[in-house]
């Protein structure tokens, strides 16, 4: 789910990096010392989770856990996602250095949307968890597919959507089980 | 609690050793009259049935379109020299392209074949010609790269924590 360098117009990629830096400032300011270890651990989990890939329909999908990151970190998710995407780009060549901004925005938007859903206290918790996990994947996929479409690449939004919808459902179920696990052992970790 | 976190971390690391990096890598083999591009994540994980577009030098309209075979190979026949661009898209957001330089030397083989001379084929194998550093990095075992990445994340967390703690102590 990482856009490589050269796909998106360089000017847009640079602008996205500037937006990402601004978003880091907005979402990361006034971070308390208590939040930092949680951000570090979640970042490490995200870093490793994105490396697992599951063969599917002749290609592969990989878990994103952006929904879970949104649930655990809330608005602090963006600086963590940016850092992880930057390290993945440097160490594994996932995406490219110039595309770190656009990739972070895509994934950060998923985490942010998941957090917004998670905050809807009126809904039952299990529903919020499943939907947050689902949307945490679907939003980045839709953004990425749109960017591919606008750049004239890829097989279209519908194709990507149809492939990832199953992964998003699985992600929703995984998110629910992790949320239930945290509720049992350390409830205050959830935002 | 600490035990379970430790166990989970170890399991993740062990499990991750079998996972693969997601950057697309290319091997390009030029042997008159064809150029073969091999697209893969790792040697054991080729890009199967990925959509391929070939662009001749200076053209934005595709010269050829198709799909990689089940081993991740795609072959085309260039008809002029210059920089040919080959883009590969697996439809899952994994997209990349490689530039294939087709020189006069490539077509010189045509003459030798026509003259029924023994083939002095220019058999060139280039690996991601525009990304040599990636290839070097690919040689580092995945587990080491994962540990390196995690060290960076934990190290950065520690540095930020230290700075925050210092600020707190100052304010007191």
């Amino acid at each position: 789910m990482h856009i490589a360098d050269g796909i998106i117009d360089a000017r847009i990629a640079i602008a996205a990096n500037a937006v990402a830096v601004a978003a880091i400032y907005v979402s990361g300011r006034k971070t308390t010392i208590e939040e930092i270890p949680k951000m570090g651990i979640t970042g490490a989990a995200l870093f490793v989770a994105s490396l697992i890939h599951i063969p599917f329909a002749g290609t592969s999908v990989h878990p994103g856990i952006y929904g879970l990151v949104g649930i655990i970190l809330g608005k602090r998710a963006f600086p963590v996602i940016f850092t992880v995407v930057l390290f993945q780009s440097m160490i594994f060549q996932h995406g490219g250095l110039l595309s770190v901004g656009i990739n972070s925005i895509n994934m950060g938007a998923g985490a942010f949307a998941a957090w917004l859903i998670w905050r809807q206290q009126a809904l039952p918790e299990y529903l919020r968890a499943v939907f947050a996990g689902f949307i945490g994947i679907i939003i980045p996929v839709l953004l990425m597919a749109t960017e591919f479409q606008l750049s004239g690449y890829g097989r279209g939004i519908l194709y990507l959507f149809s492939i990832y919808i199953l992964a998003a459902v699985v992600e929703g179920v995984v998110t629910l089980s992790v949320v239930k696990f945290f509720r049992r052992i350390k409830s205050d970790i959830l935002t | 609690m600490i035990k379970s976190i430790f166990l989970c971390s170890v399991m993740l690391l062990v499990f991750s050793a079998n996972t693969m990096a997601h950057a697309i890598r290319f091997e390009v083999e030029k042997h008159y009259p064809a150029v073969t591009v091999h697209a893969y994540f790792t040697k054991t994980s080729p890009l199967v049935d990925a959509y391929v577009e070939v662009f001749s030098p200076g053209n934005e309209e595709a010269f050829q379109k198709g799909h990689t075979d089940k081993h991740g190979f795609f072959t085309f026949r260039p008809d002029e020299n210059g920089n040919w661009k080959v883009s590969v898209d697996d439809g899952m957001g994994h997209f990349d392209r490689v530039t294939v330089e087709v020189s006069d030397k490539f077509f010189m083989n045509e003459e030798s074949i026509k003259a029924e001379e023994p083939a002095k084929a220019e058999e060139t194998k280039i690996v991601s010609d525009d990304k040599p550093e990636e290839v070097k990095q690919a040689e580092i075992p995945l587990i080491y790269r994962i540990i390196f990445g995690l060290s960076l994340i934990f190290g950065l967390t520690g540095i930020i924590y230290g700075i925050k703690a210092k600020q707190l102590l100052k304010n007191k």
Side-chain angles (χ1 to χ4, degrees):
Chain A
M1 211 185 286
H2 298 66
I3 297 173
D5 277 348
I7 310 284
I8 306 290
D9 185 85
R11 285 167 296 183
I12 296 172
I14 291 166
N17 279 320
V19 171
V21 170
I24 289 172
Y25 175 74
V26 172
S27 59
R29 68 181 171 169
K30 292 182 183 164
T31 303
T32 61
I33 195 161
E34 290 80 17
E35 289 174 300
I36 293 168
K38 195 164 81 168
M39 290 166 78
I41 295 283
T42 313
L46 177 65
F47 180 79
V48 175
S50 312
L51 298 175
I52 299 165
H53 82 167
I54 304 144
F56 178 74
T59 175
S60 64
V61 291
H62 50 87
I65 70 162
Y66 308 119
L68 190 62
V69 170
I71 288 174
I72 295 173
L73 297 179
K75 64 177 179 179
R76 307 287 185 225
F78 192 78
V80 171
I81 289 174
F82 183 89
T83 310
V84 168
V85 171
L86 178 67
F87 289 160
Q88 284 179 336
S89 153
M90 286 159 58
I91 301 167
F92 297 105
Q93 292 79 49
H94 288 195
L97 271 179
L98 197 61
S99 310
V100 167
I102 196 111
N103 284 327
S104 307
I105 289 169
N106 290 349
M107 295 161 196
F112 188 72
W115 178 54
L116 291 181
I117 289 163
W118 179 248
R119 291 179 64 187
Q120 305 308 310
Q121 304 288 344
L123 295 169
E125 188 173 273
Y126 77 91
L127 204 63
R128 285 185 284 144
V130 170
F131 199 43
F134 179 85
I135 215 78
I137 288 292
I138 285 300
I139 296 277
V141 165
L142 286 178
L143 285 173
M144 184 180 68
T146 309
E147 287 148 11
F148 272 141
Q149 186 96 343
L150 292 175
S151 308
Y153 295 112
R155 297 189 209 180
I157 295 171
L158 273 179
Y159 179 84
L160 213 58
F161 187 79
S162 64
I163 294 280
Y164 264 101
I165 190 122
L166 188 65
V169 171
V170 172
E171 188 100 7
V173 175
V174 170
T175 306
L176 172 64
S177 56
V178 176
V179 164
K180 280 178 87 175
F181 176 71
F182 281 138
R183 273 279 176 254
R184 217 171 53 237
I185 61 151
K186 193 166 170 52
S187 194
D188 59 338
I189 204 166
L190 306 166
T191 51
Chain B
M1 172 66 185
I2 294 169
K3 264 187 185 172
S4 1
I5 292 175
F6 178 74
L7 269 175
C8 286
S9 316
V10 170
M11 278 174 70
L12 265 176
L13 278 175
V14 170
F15 182 46
S16 305
N18 295 321
T19 66
M20 288 159 257
H22 258 246
I24 297 177
R25 302 184 194 287
F26 296 103
E27 272 188 17
V28 180
E29 200 166 309
K30 294 184 277 185
H31 190 122
Y32 181 82
V35 170
T36 302
V37 176
H38 184 204
Y40 58 92
F41 293 120
T42 67
K43 284 286 183 186
T44 53
S45 175
L47 265 87
V48 181
D49 196 35
Y51 181 65
V52 181
E53 280 186 328
V54 179
F55 299 92
S56 56
N59 272 322
E60 289 193 1
E61 205 168 308
F63 170 83
Q64 192 177 333
K65 294 173 185 175
H67 291 87
T68 53
D69 65 15
K70 65 176 182 176
H71 301 295
F73 287 96
F74 183 84
T75 300
F76 67 98
R77 290 179 67 152
D79 57 2
E80 60 178 304
N81 57 14
N83 287 331
W84 289 69
K85 286 190 170 36
V86 181
S87 69
V88 179
D89 172 18
D90 78 343
M92 297 293 293
H94 306 125
F95 176 95
D96 211 344
R97 57 186 156 197
V98 64
T99 304
V100 180
E101 191 188 335
V102 175
S103 61
D104 287 334
K105 215 172 154 192
F106 177 83
F107 293 102
M108 272 169 66
N109 294 293
E110 185 178 16
E111 306 301 323
S112 65
I113 286 169
K114 276 179 185 166
E116 292 183 359
E117 285 177 9
K120 293 173 189 169
E122 177 204 1
E123 194 171 348
T124 319
K125 202 169 195 180
I126 46 168
V127 181
S128 288
D129 57 348
D130 50 351
K131 294 171 191 165
E133 282 167 29
E134 286 186 18
V135 178
K136 278 181 200 166
Q137 286 179 5
E139 289 161 6
I140 302 169
L142 182 68
I143 190 78
Y144 293 160
R145 287 187 285 157
I146 290 170
I147 292 168
F148 176 62
L150 289 176
S151 313
L152 283 177
I153 291 169
F154 288 131
L156 190 65
T157 306
I159 290 168
I160 297 170
Y161 193 89
I163 293 168
K164 278 272 173 194
K166 217 174 179 182
Q167 279 174 355
L168 273 179
L169 284 173
K170 249 186 188 176
N171 292 340
K172 279 182 183 174

